[in-house]
Amino acid sequence: HLIHHTKINELRNIYFSALERYKASEGNGDPNCLTNYVTEDTPPLKLGNWLKSQRQAKRGKNGRTISNNQINRLQDLGVSWEQSDTWEE
């Protein structure tokens, strides 16, 4: 279980870093990317989808969970929790 947990944390940190990069570049200070946004990384990260799943986890949707620590990290970055899952530009 510990190995699995570590892997999840690593992945979460990778996506979180990508969100910070998005906010600093294309987002112009706004981390709330579109649901279909994919990064230029290798391999590409489905950042928009990940953000959507974090919002769902906060609402307890589909049995997902998110820690208060994660919620605070994302909020500090400027993530909007109220953005709907279908939000498109």
mmCIF file of all heavy atoms in Angstrom, residues 38-56:
data_model
loop_
_atom_site.group_PDB
_atom_site.id
_atom_site.type_symbol
_atom_site.label_atom_id
_atom_site.label_comp_id
_atom_site.label_asym_id
_atom_site.label_seq_id
_atom_site.Cartn_x
_atom_site.Cartn_y
_atom_site.Cartn_z
ATOM 1 N N VAL A 38 -4.357 19.871 -22.676
ATOM 2 C CA VAL A 38 -3.292 18.872 -22.538
ATOM 3 C C VAL A 38 -1.955 19.608 -22.610
ATOM 4 O O VAL A 38 -1.784 20.495 -23.434
ATOM 5 C CB VAL A 38 -3.393 17.807 -23.658
ATOM 6 C CG1 VAL A 38 -2.256 16.804 -23.549
ATOM 7 C CG2 VAL A 38 -4.737 17.097 -23.598
ATOM 8 N N THR A 39 -1.018 19.241 -21.741
ATOM 9 C CA THR A 39 0.285 19.923 -21.698
ATOM 10 C C THR A 39 1.188 19.493 -22.852
ATOM 11 O O THR A 39 0.924 18.499 -23.528
ATOM 12 C CB THR A 39 1.027 19.618 -20.378
ATOM 13 O OG1 THR A 39 1.416 18.242 -20.379
ATOM 14 C CG2 THR A 39 0.182 19.925 -19.160
ATOM 15 N N GLU A 40 2.271 20.234 -23.008
ATOM 16 C CA GLU A 40 3.275 19.934 -24.050
ATOM 17 C C GLU A 40 4.337 18.972 -23.525
ATOM 18 O O GLU A 40 5.328 18.722 -24.197
ATOM 19 C CB GLU A 40 3.973 21.236 -24.483
ATOM 20 C CG GLU A 40 3.032 22.340 -24.925
ATOM 21 C CD GLU A 40 2.641 22.214 -26.389
ATOM 22 O OE1 GLU A 40 3.525 21.887 -27.204
ATOM 23 O OE2 GLU A 40 1.462 22.435 -26.693
ATOM 24 N N ASP A 41 4.151 18.484 -22.293
ATOM 25 C CA ASP A 41 5.152 17.586 -21.704
ATOM 26 C C ASP A 41 5.280 16.289 -22.486
ATOM 27 O O ASP A 41 4.431 15.960 -23.300
ATOM 28 C CB ASP A 41 4.763 17.236 -20.252
ATOM 29 C CG ASP A 41 4.752 18.449 -19.348
ATOM 30 O OD1 ASP A 41 5.827 18.998 -19.102
ATOM 31 O OD2 ASP A 41 3.657 18.842 -18.906
ATOM 32 N N THR A 42 6.336 15.543 -22.182
ATOM 33 C CA THR A 42 6.514 14.207 -22.749
ATOM 34 C C THR A 42 6.554 13.212 -21.601
ATOM 35 O O THR A 42 7.480 13.262 -20.812
ATOM 36 C CB THR A 42 7.841 14.125 -23.544
ATOM 37 O OG1 THR A 42 7.887 15.233 -24.444
ATOM 38 C CG2 THR A 42 7.938 12.835 -24.303
ATOM 39 N N PRO A 43 5.585 12.331 -21.441
ATOM 40 C CA PRO A 43 4.341 12.302 -22.227
ATOM 41 C C PRO A 43 3.423 13.458 -21.827
ATOM 42 O O PRO A 43 3.541 13.977 -20.718
ATOM 43 C CB PRO A 43 3.722 10.954 -21.817
ATOM 44 C CG PRO A 43 4.217 10.716 -20.436
ATOM 45 C CD PRO A 43 5.597 11.325 -20.388
ATOM 46 N N PRO A 44 2.491 13.855 -22.715
ATOM 47 C CA PRO A 44 1.585 14.956 -22.401
ATOM 48 C C PRO A 44 0.690 14.603 -21.211
ATOM 49 O O PRO A 44 0.324 13.443 -21.029
ATOM 50 C CB PRO A 44 0.736 15.107 -23.665
ATOM 51 C CG PRO A 44 1.382 14.278 -24.709
ATOM 52 C CD PRO A 44 2.234 13.264 -24.025
ATOM 53 N N LEU A 45 0.371 15.613 -20.414
ATOM 54 C CA LEU A 45 -0.509 15.413 -19.259
ATOM 55 C C LEU A 45 -1.883 15.992 -19.568
ATOM 56 O O LEU A 45 -1.976 17.114 -20.049
ATOM 57 C CB LEU A 45 0.061 16.117 -18.026
ATOM 58 C CG LEU A 45 1.437 15.683 -17.531
ATOM 59 C CD1 LEU A 45 1.923 16.634 -16.441
ATOM 60 C CD2 LEU A 45 1.396 14.268 -16.997
ATOM 61 N N LYS A 46 -2.918 15.217 -19.270
ATOM 62 C CA LYS A 46 -4.280 15.714 -19.459
ATOM 63 C C LYS A 46 -4.642 16.567 -18.250
ATOM 64 O O LYS A 46 -5.385 16.158 -17.359
ATOM 65 C CB LYS A 46 -5.247 14.543 -19.626
ATOM 66 C CG LYS A 46 -5.008 13.780 -20.905
ATOM 67 C CD LYS A 46 -5.996 12.643 -21.067
ATOM 68 C CE LYS A 46 -5.776 11.936 -22.402
ATOM 69 N NZ LYS A 46 -6.647 10.762 -22.534
ATOM 70 N N LEU A 47 -4.074 17.777 -18.238
ATOM 71 C CA LEU A 47 -4.179 18.653 -17.075
ATOM 72 C C LEU A 47 -5.615 19.098 -16.791
ATOM 73 O O LEU A 47 -6.049 19.121 -15.646
ATOM 74 C CB LEU A 47 -3.269 19.868 -17.277
ATOM 75 C CG LEU A 47 -3.017 20.733 -16.047
ATOM 76 C CD1 LEU A 47 -2.371 19.921 -14.924
ATOM 77 C CD2 LEU A 47 -2.136 21.921 -16.400
ATOM 78 N N GLY A 48 -6.351 19.436 -17.840
ATOM 79 C CA GLY A 48 -7.737 19.872 -17.669
ATOM 80 C C GLY A 48 -8.597 18.778 -17.048
ATOM 81 O O GLY A 48 -9.416 19.030 -16.164
ATOM 82 N N ASN A 49 -8.389 17.563 -17.514
ATOM 83 C CA ASN A 49 -9.114 16.409 -16.982
ATOM 84 C C ASN A 49 -8.766 16.164 -15.522
ATOM 85 O O ASN A 49 -9.628 15.834 -14.709
ATOM 86 C CB ASN A 49 -8.746 15.161 -17.800
ATOM 87 C CG ASN A 49 -9.941 14.585 -18.498
ATOM 88 O OD1 ASN A 49 -11.050 15.094 -18.395
ATOM 89 N ND2 ASN A 49 -9.706 13.514 -19.229
ATOM 90 N N TRP A 50 -7.486 16.302 -15.207
ATOM 91 C CA TRP A 50 -7.026 16.104 -13.829
ATOM 92 C C TRP A 50 -7.687 17.129 -12.906
ATOM 93 O O TRP A 50 -8.165 16.785 -11.834
ATOM 94 C CB TRP A 50 -5.503 16.224 -13.761
ATOM 95 C CG TRP A 50 -4.964 16.095 -12.368
ATOM 96 C CD1 TRP A 50 -4.792 14.923 -11.667
ATOM 97 C CD2 TRP A 50 -4.549 17.149 -11.495
ATOM 98 N NE1 TRP A 50 -4.284 15.201 -10.416
ATOM 99 C CE2 TRP A 50 -4.139 16.556 -10.279
ATOM 100 C CE3 TRP A 50 -4.482 18.530 -11.611
ATOM 101 C CZ2 TRP A 50 -3.662 17.305 -9.205
ATOM 102 C CZ3 TRP A 50 -4.014 19.267 -10.548
ATOM 103 C CH2 TRP A 50 -3.612 18.659 -9.356
ATOM 104 N N LEU A 51 -7.732 18.388 -13.363
ATOM 105 C CA LEU A 51 -8.325 19.448 -12.559
ATOM 106 C C LEU A 51 -9.810 19.174 -12.332
ATOM 107 O O LEU A 51 -10.325 19.345 -11.224
ATOM 108 C CB LEU A 51 -8.123 20.802 -13.253
ATOM 109 C CG LEU A 51 -8.348 22.047 -12.418
ATOM 110 C CD1 LEU A 51 -7.544 22.011 -11.119
ATOM 111 C CD2 LEU A 51 -7.990 23.288 -13.209
ATOM 112 N N LYS A 52 -10.479 18.696 -13.374
ATOM 113 C CA LYS A 52 -11.887 18.336 -13.275
ATOM 114 C C LYS A 52 -12.074 17.247 -12.207
ATOM 115 O O LYS A 52 -12.976 17.317 -11.383
ATOM 116 C CB LYS A 52 -12.392 17.843 -14.634
ATOM 117 C CG LYS A 52 -13.790 17.269 -14.622
ATOM 118 C CD LYS A 52 -14.158 16.778 -16.017
ATOM 119 C CE LYS A 52 -15.389 15.900 -15.995
ATOM 120 N NZ LYS A 52 -15.761 15.437 -17.335
ATOM 121 N N SER A 53 -11.185 16.255 -12.204
ATOM 122 C CA SER A 53 -11.311 15.166 -11.231
ATOM 123 C C SER A 53 -11.030 15.648 -9.803
ATOM 124 O O SER A 53 -11.600 15.124 -8.848
ATOM 125 C CB SER A 53 -10.426 13.973 -11.606
ATOM 126 O OG SER A 53 -9.075 14.286 -11.421
ATOM 127 N N GLN A 54 -10.171 16.684 -9.654
ATOM 128 C CA GLN A 54 -9.925 17.245 -8.323
ATOM 129 C C GLN A 54 -11.188 17.942 -7.814
ATOM 130 O O GLN A 54 -11.543 17.840 -6.647
ATOM 131 C CB GLN A 54 -8.758 18.251 -8.353
ATOM 132 C CG GLN A 54 -7.440 17.688 -8.840
ATOM 133 C CD GLN A 54 -7.028 16.411 -8.105
ATOM 134 O OE1 GLN A 54 -6.789 16.412 -6.914
ATOM 135 N NE2 GLN A 54 -6.955 15.318 -8.858
ATOM 136 N N ARG A 55 -11.873 18.635 -8.730
ATOM 137 C CA ARG A 55 -13.136 19.306 -8.357
ATOM 138 C C ARG A 55 -14.190 18.271 -7.968
ATOM 139 O O ARG A 55 -14.926 18.458 -7.010
ATOM 140 C CB ARG A 55 -13.661 20.144 -9.529
ATOM 141 C CG ARG A 55 -12.814 21.373 -9.791
ATOM 142 C CD ARG A 55 -13.479 22.284 -10.820
ATOM 143 N NE ARG A 55 -12.638 23.442 -11.046
ATOM 144 C CZ ARG A 55 -11.991 23.672 -12.185
ATOM 145 N NH1 ARG A 55 -12.086 22.824 -13.195
ATOM 146 N NH2 ARG A 55 -11.248 24.743 -12.312
ATOM 147 N N GLN A 56 -14.246 17.173 -8.727
ATOM 148 C CA GLN A 56 -15.210 16.109 -8.431
ATOM 149 C C GLN A 56 -14.904 15.479 -7.083
ATOM 150 O O GLN A 56 -15.816 15.191 -6.305
ATOM 151 C CB GLN A 56 -15.190 15.048 -9.531
ATOM 152 C CG GLN A 56 -15.797 15.528 -10.821
ATOM 153 C CD GLN A 56 -15.693 14.486 -11.933
ATOM 154 O OE1 GLN A 56 -14.856 13.585 -11.877
ATOM 155 N NE2 GLN A 56 -16.519 14.633 -12.945
#
